[in-house]
Amino acid sequence: MKKNIIVASYSKDLGLVIQWLKLKKAIKRSGKIEKRGSVYAVEVISLHNKKQMQNLVKEKFGIFAKVI
């Protein structure tokens, strides 16, 4: 299990990303959504490595969210 941070411009977008990743069983749990500067971020415990998570998020949400 790996810790990753997912960021998006809007908290609702980030909420959709988290729901979708839980549905795909890609994350075990997620933290609280926080505003960091001009973006919203959440720390997740993922069942995949960072590259796989980036591909999953980019496949569904494109430029609206990313894994850092």
Side-chain angles (χ1 to χ4, degrees):
M1 290 185 280
K2 312 263 190 266
K3 284 187 181 180
N4 290 310
I5 297 174
I6 302 172
V7 296
S9 297
Y10 299 99
S11 62
K12 290 192 183 226
D13 289 346
L14 194 51
L16 289 173
V17 173
I18 297 303
Q19 278 186 309
W20 186 76
L21 288 172
K22 284 181 181 177
L23 184 66
K24 297 290 273 181
K25 297 184 175 150
I27 61 173
K28 188 165 185 155
R29 66 180 168 179
S30 62
K32 185 178 173 188
I33 295 175
E34 300 173 345
K35 183 148 175 91
R36 292 185 183 176
S38 63
V39 296
Y40 290 88
V42 65
E43 189 173 287
V44 297
I45 304 295
S46 66
L47 301 173
H48 303 292
N49 65 30
K50 184 177 179 178
K51 184 70 173 170
Q52 291 170 323
M53 288 294 291
Q54 285 174 336
N55 290 337
L56 277 173
V57 171
K58 189 171 185 174
E59 168 191 315
K60 181 72 174 178
F61 297 98
I63 62 169
F64 296 106
K66 64 174 122 174
V67 179
I68 56 170

